[in-house]
């Protein structure tokens, strides 16, 4: 019997709700960087890099461009670690299971908050490991929580996207810390409180999550958490492993000599065109978002001509809109789950129907990114409110759709590895944000117009992925029609 008694739905609902709170309040805090930068500047972090300069009219001004570059480098490093370390996190999760992965997550996250709590301007470089640990711990929380969607069958994609939306919205945590700081509560007190919350993460690990994995599809007698009596975990894991191996996608790999009926290995999934175009889809849009977030503070400084009250107001507006990510993400899941419960075409598998449903999601995400990028390129301050709204909608669609597509396009036994691999490779591409920022600060004299135009054009590559998936589904449909005509 499970600790919560005979009514398993109570435990599952608690698992879902607490997982949502964990993702919403902790996991993606690093992406609230713009709010934290405002506070760190007030605390004089990297202030030694500001120098007095004389303009052409003889006016003395304080040039803090090198300080901005250092803050941008901190975020570039953290965002890279957030994605690149997802590869190792995925392998860790697939091989050792939930409990081991979450122990690592709690360790990284608590170390990060303690570093930020006891840091000071003399130890400004401590921001590099602190933000990186915060990012890695947060993404591990997300990876271990996304499997909760397996408990709810037909709403699996909706819950996965909802958790990713909560991950995006958790960037508002640093807005809360900024507002508390302006109310007189120190950074040390705020981050010490976050450190103490590690106890809550550990309790949830023991009572509301499995030691290994939540299988999909879910066996009728599945139990998890701390149990009394004989545990069924081992048998269930064997069932899950067998099931996830048997339902691999019949997608033609780059190696044409592999039979289509053969179950896809991790290598075959990695070398498939699906994975290649999905990586391109994620990478180009992620670079656009990272460059926007990493340069938001200097961009607002440029557009407001250095007015600190206006910079603070727009920074708060950006952070508040991030809260809406948890509301926007389920729309994407509903788009992908809209065919559930409806009769499928003759001979069409459930996985093929899932793929067909993903085409609209992939296309809308790419289209949103183009609109967001155009608004971000326009140097008109009031328009940035719309930019913030489009950014949070697109970001929630992007990461929720990324996880949901991998869960339906590839065997579930490879989910952690493929999810980590696509984020790790996209992280390498995202490193281009720093040379882009250096170009803006150097040769372009602080004007990001040409870089923004270039990134908008690059983001058009994202449309290749939905087109390829659409053509693949149409090909499968034609093959079914041809075989049914005989």
């Amino acid at each position: 019997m499970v600790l919560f008694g005979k009514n398993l739905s109570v435990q599952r609902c608690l698992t879902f709700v607490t997982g949502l709170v964990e993702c919403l309040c902790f996991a993606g805090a690093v992406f609230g960087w713009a709010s934290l930068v405002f506070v760190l500047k007030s605390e004089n972090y990297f202030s030694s890099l500001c120098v007095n300069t004389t303009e052409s009219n003889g006016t003395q001004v304080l040039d803090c461009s090198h300080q901005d570059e250092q803050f941008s480098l901190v975020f570039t490093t953290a965002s890279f670690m957030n994605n690149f370390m997802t590869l190792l996190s995925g392998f860790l999760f697939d091989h050792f299971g939930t409990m081991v992965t979450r122990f690592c997550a709690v360790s990284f996250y608590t170390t990060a908050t303690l570093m930020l709590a006891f840091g000071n301007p003399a130890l400004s470089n401590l921001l590099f490991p602190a933000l990186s640990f915060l990012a890695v711990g947060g993404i591990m929380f997300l990876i271990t929580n996304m499997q909760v969607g397996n408990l709810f069958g037909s709403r699996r994609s909706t819950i996965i996207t909802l958790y990713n939306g909560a991950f995006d919205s958790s960037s508002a945590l640093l807005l809360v810390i900024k507002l508390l700081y302006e109310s007189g509560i120190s950074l040390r007190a705020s981050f010490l409180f976050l450190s103490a919350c590690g106890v809550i993460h550990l309790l949830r690990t023991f009572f509301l999550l499995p030691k290994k994995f939540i299988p999909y599809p879910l066996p009728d007698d599945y139990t998890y958490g701390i149990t009394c009596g004989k545990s069924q975990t081992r048998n269930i894991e064997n069932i899950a492993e067998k099931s996830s191996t048997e339902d691999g996608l019949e997608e033609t790999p780059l190696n044409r000599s592999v039979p289509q009926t053969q179950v896809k290995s991790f290598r075959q999934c990695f070398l498939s065109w699906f994975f290649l175009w999905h990586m391109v889809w994620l990478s180009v849009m992620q670079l656009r978002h990272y460059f926007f977030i990493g340069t938001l503070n200097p961009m607002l400084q440029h557009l407001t001509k250095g007015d600190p009250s206006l910079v603070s107001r727009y920074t708060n507006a950006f952070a508040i809109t991030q809260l809406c990510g948890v509301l926007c993400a389920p729309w994407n899941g509903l788009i992908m789950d809209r065919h559930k419960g409806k009769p499928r075409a003759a001979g069409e598998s459930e996985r093929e129907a899932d793929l067909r449903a993903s085409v609209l999601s992939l296309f809308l995400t790419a289209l949103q990114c183009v609109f967001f990028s155009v608004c971000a390129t326009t140097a008109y301050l009031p328009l940035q409110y719309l930019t913030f709204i489009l950014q949070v909608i697109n970001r929630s669609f992007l990461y929720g759709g990324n996880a949901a597509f991998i869960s339906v396009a590839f065997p579930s036994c490879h989910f952690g590895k493929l999810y980590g691999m696509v984020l790790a490779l996209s992280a390498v591409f995202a490193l281009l944000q720093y040379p882009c920022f250096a170009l803006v600060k150097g040769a372009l004299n602080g004007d990001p117009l040409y870089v923004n135009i270039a990134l908008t054009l690059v983001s058009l590559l994202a449309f290749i992925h939905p087109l390829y998936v659409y053509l693949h589904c149409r090909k499968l449909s034609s093959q079914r029609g041809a075989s049914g005509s005989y």
Side-chain angles (χ1 to χ4, degrees):
M1 181 183 299
V2 180
L3 183 68
F4 287 93
K6 293 182 179 181
N7 188 358
L8 293 179
S9 63
V10 174
Q11 188 190 26
R12 292 179 186 180
C13 287
L14 281 173
T15 300
F16 165 70
V17 172
T18 56
L20 185 62
V21 171
E22 187 172 78
C23 289
L24 182 61
C25 297
F26 300 96
V30 69
F31 294 104
W33 175 242
S35 298
L36 186 59
V37 165
F38 189 88
V39 177
L40 294 175
K41 283 187 173 181
S42 301
E43 288 282 302
N44 295 318
Y45 278 73
F46 296 121
S47 59
S48 61
L49 298 176
C50 293
V51 294
N52 287 314
T53 59
T54 304
E55 293 186 338
S56 56
N57 58 5
T59 305
Q60 287 278 335
V61 296
L62 189 64
D63 181 10
C64 290
S65 59
H66 292 297
Q67 183 191 36
D68 288 334
E69 284 185 23
Q70 199 71 357
F71 279 126
S72 177
L73 185 58
V74 171
F75 179 74
T76 300
T77 304
S79 58
F80 172 78
M81 295 299 292
N82 175 77
N83 284 10
F84 189 79
M85 289 301 291
T86 307
L87 174 60
L88 296 181
S89 301
F91 275 90
L92 184 71
F93 177 68
D94 282 349
H95 285 279
F96 296 102
T98 303
M99 186 171 289
V100 172
T101 306
R102 285 184 64 83
F103 283 161
C104 293
V106 174
S107 299
F108 281 127
Y109 203 90
T110 304
T111 300
T113 52
L114 288 174
M115 283 183 173
L116 290 167
F118 293 103
N120 58 65
L123 299 173
S124 295
N125 286 327
L126 201 62
L127 289 174
F128 285 96
L131 266 291
S132 296
F133 285 155
L134 192 72
V136 174
I139 199 67
M140 284 183 169
F141 282 142
L142 178 63
I143 288 175
T144 56
N145 276 310
M146 283 192 292
Q147 61 179 324
V148 173
N150 296 346
L151 295 172
F152 298 91
S154 63
R155 291 291 171 255
R156 184 187 182 204
S157 294
T158 302
I159 290 176
I160 290 174
T161 54
L162 178 63
Y163 275 15
N164 277 269
F167 176 84
D168 293 337
S169 294
S170 64
S171 59
L173 172 66
L174 295 185
L175 168 64
V176 174
I177 291 177
K178 173 180 178 290
L179 296 176
L180 290 174
Y181 177 82
E182 292 173 339
S183 301
I185 297 177
S186 67
L187 279 179
R188 175 168 296 183
S190 296
F191 282 111
L192 283 177
F193 174 78
L194 291 179
S195 301
C197 289
V199 176
I200 300 175
H201 301 313
L202 289 175
L203 290 175
R204 185 165 178 272
T205 301
F206 287 119
F207 290 96
L208 292 175
L209 285 170
K211 182 178 180 181
K212 290 295 184 180
F213 313 101
I214 299 176
Y216 184 80
L218 198 69
D220 293 334
D221 56 351
Y222 179 66
T223 61
Y224 64 98
I226 293 180
T227 60
C228 301
K230 186 177 179 180
S231 173
Q232 304 175 47
T233 304
R234 186 177 298 276
N235 291 336
I236 291 165
E237 287 168 4
N238 291 338
I239 293 171
E241 184 178 353
K242 181 179 178 181
S243 172
S244 62
T245 303
E246 289 176 349
D247 64 0
L249 175 65
E250 313 277 58
E251 204 273 315
T252 305
L254 292 178
N255 186 353
R256 304 289 181 178
S257 63
V258 178
Q260 290 189 3
T261 56
Q262 182 179 335
V263 173
K264 297 190 76 174
S265 66
F266 170 71
R267 181 176 180 275
Q268 290 170 324
C269 293
F270 175 68
L271 294 177
S272 67
W273 285 107
F274 267 9
F275 185 85
L276 171 65
W277 291 124
H278 186 67
M279 183 182 67
V280 171
W281 177 85
L282 176 65
S283 297
V284 296
M285 289 190 283
Q286 181 175 254
L287 174 62
R288 187 66 190 96
H289 283 274
Y290 279 7
F291 181 77
F292 178 76
I293 295 172
T295 59
L296 179 61
N297 186 268
M299 181 197 77
L300 292 178
Q301 292 276 0
H302 177 73
L303 293 179
T304 62
K305 302 187 186 307
D307 186 335
S309 62
L310 275 178
V311 172
S312 180
R313 182 194 307 172
Y314 276 86
T315 300
N316 290 349
F318 171 74
I320 290 170
T321 57
Q322 301 305 297
L323 285 169
C324 299
V326 69
L327 303 177
C328 302
W331 304 347
N332 197 12
L334 291 171
I335 290 172
M336 297 191 72
D337 283 336
R338 69 189 187 279
H339 67 288
K340 301 287 188 182
K342 297 180 181 179
R344 298 193 297 268
E348 183 182 41
S349 66
E350 181 179 357
R351 193 171 290 271
E352 185 181 339
D354 288 340
L355 274 177
R356 180 168 43 80
S358 72
V359 173
L360 180 60
S361 168
L362 298 171
F363 174 79
L364 287 177
T365 304
L367 188 63
Q368 291 164 2
C369 185
V370 172
F371 287 150
F372 149 64
S373 189
V374 169
C375 290
T377 302
T378 307
Y380 180 59
L381 186 61
L383 184 64
Q384 300 315 306
Y385 288 120
L386 177 60
T387 304
F388 298 160
I389 294 171
L390 290 174
Q391 190 270 343
V392 73
I393 293 174
N394 183 234
R395 182 175 162 78
S396 63
F397 266 63
L398 178 63
Y399 289 106
N402 169 50
F405 180 80
I406 292 174
S407 72
V408 301
F410 302 103
S412 59
C413 59
H414 301 314
F415 175 81
K417 295 185 287 291
L418 290 171
Y419 182 76
M421 183 65 76
V422 74
L423 286 179
L425 294 175
S426 66
V428 176
F429 189 78
L431 288 175
L432 289 173
Q433 65 180 298
Y434 185 71
C436 288
F437 182 80
L439 179 64
V440 171
K441 283 294 181 180
L444 298 179
N445 297 317
D447 186 359
L449 176 64
Y450 294 111
V451 172
N452 281 328
I453 291 175
L455 290 176
T456 303
L457 295 175
V458 169
S459 66
L460 294 176
L461 294 173
F463 287 101
I464 298 176
H465 186 35
L467 177 62
Y468 179 79
V469 177
Y470 169 75
L471 293 175
H472 174 81
C473 291
R474 192 171 72 169
K475 178 181 177 182
L476 292 179
S477 178
S478 299
Q479 290 175 348
R480 284 199 316 274
S483 62
S485 63
Y486 290 103

